C-alpha cells in the first residue's frame, strides 16, 4: 500500500518508477517499437533506425553536458572515433563484430581522458572551444592515417552477422539499434540515480559547493568524459553499420550542433527530454522537406541542393525559439500538459 512519497520496501526504493500508468505506457511503447518492422514501410523503418542510434549518441552528450554541465562543441569527434574504431577493427584487423563494438567504445573513452584533462581548469566557452579544436585534430589525424584509416577515401563497413542473424536485413539492423538504445537508456537512468550521477549534478549546479562537500572534481569530470565518450562511440559504430561506409566528410561539425540542439530542445539533463528532442530534431528536416515538396518548383529542390545549410538554419531557429519561449524544452511542455490534464477543470 502506498503512503505518499515514502518507500515501504527496498524494491520500491530502487525501482525506476512506482507508477502503474507509467509502466503501462512504457510496455505499450516497447511493444509498438518491437512490432514496427512488420507494419511500417522501408522509409519509416529507416527513419526510426536513425532516431535510435542518434538517441544513443545524444545520451552520451547528455551525461557530459546535461548531467555534469561540461559544454562540448566537439562531440562529433567521439562519434567519429567510435565509427572508425569499429570499421578498423572489422575491416583492417579482422575482429569479431562484438569485439569491434568494444573497440568502438574504448577508443573514444581513451580520447575522452585526453580531452577531460583540460576540463579540470577550463569551463564554459573555453572548454567548448577546446573540445571543438579536439574534433579538428581527430579529423586531421584520420586524414593523415594513410591506408590504415583510409585517409580521405574512407573505409567500407560490411554489415555483420550477430548470433546467426545477418544485419544486411534492415529489420535486423533496426532490432540491434532498438536493443542498444533501450540498454543505453536504462544505463543512463541508473547512472543518474547513483552516487556518481548525484556528484555529476552537484558539479553542474555549483562546482565550488561540490568541492566543499568533498566531491573530487578532478576524478568525476574525467569519469564524465569517459562515460560520455564510450556511449557516443557505440552510437558511432551503429551509424557506421547503418551507412556501410565511414569517411571524415560524413562527420561534419553540424552533427555537434545537432546533438546540442537535441538536448536544448528536449530538456537539458533529462533522459526523457533527450528522447523527445531526438525525435523532434531528426524529424524536423523531413517535415520541412514534405512542406517544401507540397509547394513544388524551386522549393522542392531546396533540401536536395542545400540540405546542409537548411538543416543548420532549422537547428538554429529551434534553439533560439525554445530558449526564448520555454527554456525547459519539450520536457517542460510535457509537464505543463500533464499538470493541466490532471487538474482540469481546476487551474490549481
Amino acid at each position: 500500500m502506498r503512503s505518499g512519497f515514502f518507500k515501504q520496501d527496498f524494491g520500491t526504493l530502487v525501482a525506476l518508477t512506482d507508477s502503474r500508468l507509467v509502466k503501462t505506457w512504457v510496455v505499450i511503447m516497447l511493444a509498438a517499437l518491437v512490432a514496427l518492422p512488420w507494419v511500417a514501410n522501408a522509409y519509416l523503418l529507416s527513419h526510426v533506425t536513425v532516431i535510435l542510434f542518434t538517441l544513443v549518441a545524444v545520451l552520451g552528450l547528455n551525461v557530459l553536458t546535461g548531467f555534469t554541465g561540461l559544454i562540448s562543441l566537439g562531440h562529433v569527434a567521439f562519434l567519429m572515433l567510435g565509427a572508425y574504431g569499429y570499421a578498423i577493427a572489422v575491416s583492417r584487423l579482422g575482429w569479431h563484430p562484438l569485439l569491434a563494438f568494444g573497440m568502438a567504445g574504448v577508443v573514444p573513452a581513451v580520447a575522452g581522458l585526453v580531452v577531460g584533462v583540460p576540463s579540470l581548469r577550463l569551463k564554459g566557452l573555453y572548454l567548448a572551444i577546446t573540445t571543438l579544436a579536439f574534433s579538428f585534430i581527430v579529423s586531421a589525424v584520420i586524414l593523415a592515417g594513410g591506408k590504415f584509416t583510409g585517409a580521405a577515401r574512407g573505409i567500407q563497413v560490411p554489415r555483420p552477422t550477430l548470433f546467426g542473424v545477418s544485419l544486411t536485413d534492415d529489420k535486423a539492423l533496426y532490432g540491434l539499434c532498438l536493443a542498444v538504445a533501450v540498454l543505453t537508456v536504462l544505463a543512463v537512468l541508473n547512472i543518474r540515480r547513483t552516487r556518481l550521477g548525484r556528484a555529476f549534478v552537484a558539479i553542474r549546479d555549483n562546482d565550488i559547493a561540490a568541492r566543499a562537500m568533498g566531491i573530487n572534481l578532478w576524478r568525476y569530470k574525467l569519469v564524465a568524459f569517459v562515460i560520455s565518450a564510450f556511449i557516443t562511440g557505440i552510437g558511432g559504430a551503429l551509424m557506421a553499420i547503418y551507412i556501410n561506409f565511414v569517411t571524415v566528410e560524413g562527420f561534419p561539425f553540424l552533427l555537434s550542433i545537432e546533438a546540442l540542439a537535441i538536448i536544448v530542445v528536449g530538456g537539458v539533463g533529462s533522459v526523457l527530454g533527450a528522447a523527445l528532442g531526438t525525435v523532434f530534431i531528426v524529424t524536423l528536416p523531413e517535415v520541412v522537406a514534405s512542406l517544401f515538396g507540397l509547394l513544388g518548383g524551386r522549393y522542392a529542390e531546396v533540401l536536395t541542393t542545400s540540405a546542409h545549410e537548411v538543416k543548420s538554419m532549422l537547428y538554429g531557429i529551434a534553439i533560439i525559439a525554445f530558449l526564448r519561449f520555454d527554456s525547459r524544452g519539450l520536457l517542460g511542455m510535457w509537464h505543463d500538459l500533464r499538470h493541466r490534464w490532471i487538474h482540469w477543470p481546476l487551474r490549481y
Side-chain angles (χ1 to χ4, degrees):
M1 175 176 149
R2 294 187 59 181
S3 58
F5 294 102
F6 295 101
K7 308 297 183 183
Q8 295 180 316
D9 54 63
F10 185 74
T12 56
L13 181 65
V14 300
L16 286 172
T17 178
D18 58 356
S19 170
R20 291 183 179 178
L21 183 62
V22 172
K23 292 178 181 176
T24 303
W25 277 112
V26 169
V27 170
I28 292 173
M29 184 184 68
L30 286 176
L33 287 172
V34 170
L36 185 69
W38 288 272
V39 297
N41 57 28
Y43 171 77
L44 180 59
L45 188 65
S46 173
H47 184 69
V48 179
T49 303
V50 173
I51 289 176
L52 290 174
F53 68 68
T54 303
L55 174 61
V56 174
V58 168
L59 286 174
L61 180 61
N62 201 41
V63 171
L64 186 67
T65 302
F67 291 176
T68 320
L70 300 173
I71 300 175
S72 171
L73 284 179
H75 220 63
V76 67
F78 299 131
L79 192 71
M80 194 178 347
L81 286 173
Y84 270 91
Y86 177 85
I88 290 173
V90 170
S91 302
R92 299 286 192 265
L93 305 179
W95 288 13
H96 189 276
L98 289 179
L99 292 176
F101 267 113
M103 183 85 161
V106 170
V107 171
V110 173
L113 275 176
V114 176
V115 185
V117 172
S119 72
L120 307 179
R121 294 185 177 276
L122 301 176
K123 60 182 179 180
L125 177 63
Y126 299 101
L127 179 59
I129 297 299
T130 301
T131 55
L132 177 61
F134 171 72
S135 69
F136 290 125
I137 292 171
V138 170
S139 299
V141 169
I142 291 175
L143 288 174
K147 293 182 179 179
F148 187 67
T149 61
R153 295 187 301 275
I155 301 176
Q156 192 76 30
V157 183
R159 289 191 178 184
T161 298
L162 292 176
F163 307 110
V165 179
S166 174
L167 296 184
T168 53
D169 183 6
D170 289 343
K171 293 180 181 178
L173 180 59
Y174 167 84
L176 174 67
C177 292
L178 177 60
V180 174
V182 171
L183 291 175
T184 307
V185 167
L186 290 175
V188 174
L189 281 174
N190 283 288
I191 287 173
R192 174 65 179 81
R193 301 189 309 159
T194 60
R195 178 180 179 180
L196 180 68
R198 291 194 295 273
F200 288 164
V201 174
I203 294 171
R204 178 194 67 189
D205 293 343
N206 192 318
D207 56 351
I208 297 176
R211 176 179 291 174
M213 289 189 295
I215 294 175
N216 187 327
L217 301 186
W218 182 84
R219 184 175 68 181
Y220 283 104
K221 285 185 177 180
L222 282 183
V223 171
F225 264 101
V226 170
I227 294 176
S228 172
F230 183 90
I231 296 174
T232 306
I234 297 298
L238 294 175
M239 182 178 176
I241 295 173
Y242 174 78
I243 300 175
N244 291 133
F245 192 76
V246 291
T247 179
V248 171
E249 284 77 12
F251 297 89
F253 173 64
L254 180 65
L255 291 181
S256 290
I257 300 301
E258 182 180 353
L260 283 174
I262 286 172
I263 63 172
V264 169
V265 168
V268 178
S270 166
V271 174
L272 176 59
L276 294 174
T278 302
V279 174
F280 181 86
I281 290 296
V282 175
T283 307
L284 183 61
E286 304 298 326
V287 174
V288 173
S290 299
L291 293 177
F292 282 7
L294 293 176
L295 294 175
R298 294 176 55 187
Y299 295 101
E301 301 175 358
V302 168
L303 278 178
T304 303
T305 57
S306 306
H308 187 81
E309 290 77 7
V310 172
K311 284 185 178 180
S312 302
M313 184 180 66
L314 291 174
Y315 298 155
I317 292 173
I319 292 174
I320 292 171
F322 275 91
L323 290 179
R324 169 62 181 84
F325 297 105
D326 194 342
S327 60
R328 299 171 303 163
L330 293 170
L331 184 67
M333 294 181 181
W334 164 248
H335 285 163
D336 289 345
L337 181 64
R338 188 176 60 178
H339 184 271
R340 290 176 184 175
W341 173 264
I342 293 174
H343 295 281
W344 187 86
L346 302 176
R347 186 173 181 181
Y348 299 104

